[in-house]
Amino acid sequence: MESGMGGEAEPQMPRFFVAVHVGAGYHAPSNEKALRSAMKRACLAAASILRKGPGGCVDAVAASIQVLEDDPSTNSGRGSNLTEDGNVECDASLMDGHSGVFGAVGAVPGVPNAIQIAALLVKEQMKGSSLLGRIPPMFLVGEGARIWAKSKGIALPETMIEADQWLVTPKAKAQWKHYKAMLLGAKAEIEISSDGNLCNAQQTASTQDSQAQTCETLEENRAGQSCMLSPLEEDSIMDTVGVLCVDTEGYIASGASSGGIALKVSGRVGLAAMYGSGCWASLKGPFGAPFIVGSCVTGAGEYLMKGFAARECCVSSSLSQAGPASACLKVLRSVVNDSSQSDTDKSAGILLVQADAPIRVPGNPPKLKAVEIAAAYSSLSFGIGYFGSAMEQPKVSILRSTKQQNRTGIDHFEARIDLSTENLL
């Protein structure tokens, strides 16, 4: 540490690290610029809080995800996938690694920023018991979550019509109409067949050109294996945006937010809201030893939820000597294998951040030293970005599949970022 003219140590900028993702699936090249911009702004939003010093991880995660929710190019908040009924219902969660406190909302309607409610649930739990010793809620769903948020002072649209004017974008509406027509066409085929009329996909294709690729195409799109039939080159993003933040003293928090899968059943709660599945953060390994790690998961929600994917990835990383990338690959392989056996969607992405133990000098607060970031994905693409205190600007990328050279069907990325470079005030 350098000294000033008077011999006293000059103050130094707090160290920090933030990582973000914008979902696994297929990201259209035409939308890449918008997604990269959103990730950069999300990184900078978190950094503006983390630069103030320790203790801001929860707020940093919430601020970063709010940027992604407000951007119509992501499947969270504004521009989310619509339910089968044509509405927006969002999921979100946030976890503080120091306390282990978790807050989440599921299938909440008419809320532009579901992560705000999740963050408030975390803070309310941190305060402890409320009036008459009532236990603060951890997980709220549906209209009840919306009512609770309003009672706590979160500004929300007065009516669902007003909310939809912001949340439902023309692109999402067009996608919904397209998928709805496909679904109705598929249902009609089943009904005709059940009445004893022989009707197969080839016959209907000659008379229903607009629905030429019904169930098969829908499954391919959901798996991120092909583009949609719209004249526009559109995205097919499975689920969830996510953010991980580490502050100058090594505290970590993670969060996730999502509009869910396209044409989902109303009331469906997805991966982004589920404990241990969409996000995880911890300062200790499974046996209590110090270990700073956090994870965000996106993709085929139901299968990832069954395996507590985010938590499992963090536990695997703490037990492994092979590094965070190996942990991500291990968990994702199990997901791909399970989904292959049942012939279901296997698109998924995992983002993991592991931090070195902070440097501790007597008389001084601990200082974050370095972090490792790893990503693994089985989809056609996975959008990620990261930013650290020693970096001049965020790095963002839409990772593209190289499955032609990869027999496992899984691609990955990893990097180590040294944060020990001091930036003087």
Side-chain angles (χ1 to χ4, degrees):
M1 185 181 294
E2 297 181 10
S3 299
M5 294 179 62
E8 295 182 359
E10 293 185 25
Q12 296 174 333
M13 289 288 287
R15 300 174 185 176
F16 66 84
F17 185 78
V18 53
V20 308
H21 79 76
V22 289
Y26 172 72
H27 302 80
S30 60
N31 201 29
E32 184 167 332
K33 184 177 179 180
L35 288 167
R36 288 167 62 92
S37 174
M39 287 190 286
K40 283 183 179 179
R41 289 183 283 108
C43 285
L44 294 173
S48 67
I49 294 173
L50 296 171
R51 281 195 176 105
K52 297 176 183 178
C57 279
V58 169
D59 288 334
V61 168
S64 183
I65 289 181
Q66 187 167 336
V67 169
L68 299 175
E69 289 176 332
D70 289 343
D71 194 296
S73 63
T74 70
N75 178 28
S76 61
R78 189 183 185 203
S80 288
N81 288 328
L82 305 186
T83 67
E84 188 176 356
D85 299 330
N87 301 312
V88 171
E89 294 182 359
C90 293
D91 305 324
S93 64
L94 198 153
M95 185 170 187
D96 173 57
H98 175 57
S99 62
V101 171
F102 174 87
V105 291
V108 58
V111 174
N113 299 110
I115 195 64
Q116 284 186 323
I117 310 179
L120 187 55
L121 285 166
V122 168
K123 292 178 180 180
E124 290 285 312
Q125 292 176 78
M126 287 179 171
K127 291 179 183 177
S129 297
S130 57
L131 188 64
L132 299 179
R134 298 174 68 196
I135 299 174
M138 181 181 81
F139 193 165
L140 296 173
V141 297
E143 183 63 21
R146 189 174 187 274
I147 293 171
W148 183 86
K150 290 188 74 172
S151 74
K152 294 295 181 178
I154 293 181
L156 297 174
E158 289 299 322
T159 65
M160 296 302 295
I161 294 176
E162 182 184 346
D164 284 347
Q165 288 176 346
W166 168 259
L167 290 168
V168 181
T169 62
K171 181 178 177 180
K173 192 73 172 181
Q175 181 196 48
W176 174 79
K177 288 180 179 179
H178 173 73
Y179 278 150
K180 189 74 171 179
M182 292 168 65
L183 182 63
L184 292 175
K187 287 182 177 179
E189 288 185 26
I190 295 173
E191 290 175 359
I192 293 173
S193 298
S194 65
D195 289 337
N197 296 320
L198 296 178
C199 181
N200 56 43
Q202 292 179 342
Q203 291 173 319
T204 56
S206 62
T207 57
Q208 296 180 338
D209 186 60
S210 63
Q211 297 172 2
Q213 301 180 48
T214 52
C215 295
E216 181 179 350
T217 302
L218 181 58
E219 288 301 321
E220 287 179 352
N221 278 311
R222 287 177 59 195
Q225 301 303 309
S226 67
C227 302
M228 296 193 307
L229 298 177
S230 168
L232 299 175
E233 185 184 21
E234 294 191 37
D235 295 324
S236 180
I237 303 172
M238 283 304 303
D239 205 9
T240 321
V241 300
V243 173
L244 295 137
C245 289
V246 188
D247 72 13
T248 189
E249 294 187 0
Y251 294 113
I252 189 170
S254 66
S257 180
S258 176
I261 57 177
L263 223 63
K264 66 181 181 181
V265 175
S266 181
R268 181 251 189 190
V269 176
L271 177 73
M274 301 302 293
Y275 182 78
S277 299
C279 70
W280 190 263
S282 176
L283 299 184
K284 295 181 179 180
F287 302 111
F291 193 83
I292 304 166
V293 66
S295 175
C296 293
V297 178
T298 171
E302 274 62 22
Y303 276 85
L304 291 164
M305 283 188 274
K306 288 180 180 179
F308 294 94
R311 180 185 180 276
E312 183 63 25
C313 202
C314 292
V315 171
S316 180
S317 183
S318 68
L319 295 175
S320 172
Q321 301 296 319
S326 176
C328 291
L329 290 168
K330 176 184 176 182
V331 172
L332 195 50
R333 283 192 197 103
S334 67
V335 173
V336 171
N337 290 337
D338 288 345
S339 59
S340 295
Q341 291 176 4
S342 55
D343 195 27
T344 57
D345 177 21
K346 56 184 179 182
S347 290
I350 297 174
L351 181 65
L352 186 143
V353 169
Q354 179 180 313
D356 290 0
I359 301 171
R360 297 183 180 274
V361 179
N364 292 297
K367 277 281 192 178
L368 188 63
K369 180 182 178 183
V371 300
E372 291 182 74
I373 179 174
Y377 57 104
S378 58
S379 53
L380 289 178
S381 59
F382 189 26
I384 68 165
Y386 60 93
F387 186 38
S389 51
M391 298 167 59
E392 293 185 359
Q393 61 183 2
K395 289 188 177 182
V396 297
S397 178
I398 304 297
L399 303 175
R400 302 286 178 182
S401 172
T402 58
K403 290 178 184 175
Q404 290 80 0
Q405 293 81 33
N406 188 348
R407 290 178 297 176
T408 65
I410 300 174
D411 293 277
H412 78 281
F413 162 86
E414 57 185 315
R416 180 174 175 84
I417 297 90
D418 183 5
L419 303 173
S420 61
T421 302
E422 298 293 352
N423 296 311
L424 301 180
L425 291 170

